Amino acid sequence: VPGKVETVERLGNITFAYIDIGAAEMVTVQIIGPTRLTQGEGVTLAIDPAHLHVFAATGEALQTGS
């Protein structure tokens, strides 16, 4: 899935990257360890369903089928 890095939030050994994929909401990616991602960078996301967490607009966790 192609996207663009909007924000990078470094929190010690964990980084959260907020990726605009052209949907209504951005995708939040958790990265363990160092990363060179920068704001405005183009990225391609490969989504592993076994590690995917989906939430409703209310904040309720939804089943992902895995």
Side-chain angles (χ1 to χ4, degrees):
V1 176
K4 179 179 157 189
V5 179
E6 291 296 325
T7 304
V8 178
E9 183 177 16
R10 291 178 171 82
L11 304 169
N13 70 333
I14 296 175
T15 299
F16 289 100
Y18 302 91
I19 312 295
D20 182 352
I21 61 167
E25 297 290 327
M26 281 193 246
V27 173
T28 303
V29 177
Q30 179 180 332
I31 303 161
I32 305 297
T35 181
R36 293 182 175 171
L37 282 179
T38 59
Q39 185 175 6
E41 181 177 350
V43 295
T44 299
L45 303 178
I47 300 170
D48 181 349
H51 298 267
L52 182 66
H53 302 279
V54 181
F55 298 88
T58 61
E60 177 185 2
L62 302 175
Q63 292 286 80
T64 59
S66 59

